[in-house]
Amino acid sequence: MIELTRLNGQKLYLNCDLLKYAETSPDTLLTLVTGDKIVVRESCAEVIALALAWRAGVLRSAWPDAAGALNVLLGQAKP
């Protein structure tokens, strides 16, 4: 879940898996896979950065040694 801010200053927490589109018009309009639309204060770039950071955290939790394993697969480190 990422923390975002509605235009009135109220915080909301969004499950990133529900994001379908992010548009700037001039406010950031998020369209969810459910068809719901949410307007937030954060820019599209900020929403993307938050979503990527959240996803990276999930992957780090699921596979803490991923970086080392990938380096071994790419031949950049010894097993």
Side-chain angles (χ1 to χ4, degrees), residues 38-77:
I38 302 171
V39 180
V40 296
R41 287 185 177 181
E42 290 78 10
S43 68
C44 285
E46 289 172 301
V47 172
I48 291 167
L50 289 167
L52 288 174
W54 178 81
R55 178 74 62 203
V58 169
L59 292 173
R60 272 193 303 278
S61 295
W63 191 13
D65 299 327
L70 289 172
N71 285 335
V72 169
L73 287 173
L74 295 173
Q76 297 174 358

Side-chain angles (χ1 to χ4, degrees), residues 6-77:
R6 292 184 186 272
L7 292 182
N8 67 3
Q10 181 182 3
K11 295 290 182 186
L12 72 110
Y13 297 88
L14 178 69
N15 179 343
C16 298
D17 293 332
L18 296 178
L19 281 173
K20 185 174 182 180
Y21 299 107
E23 306 172 65
T24 303
S25 63
D27 298 317
T28 302
L29 175 65
L30 304 178
T31 302
L32 308 182
V33 295
T34 61
D36 293 335
K37 295 184 183 287
I38 302 171
V39 180
V40 296
R41 287 185 177 181
E42 290 78 10
S43 68
C44 285
E46 289 172 301
V47 172
I48 291 167
L50 289 167
L52 288 174
W54 178 81
R55 178 74 62 203
V58 169
L59 292 173
R60 272 193 303 278
S61 295
W63 191 13
D65 299 327
L70 289 172
N71 285 335
V72 169
L73 287 173
L74 295 173
Q76 297 174 358

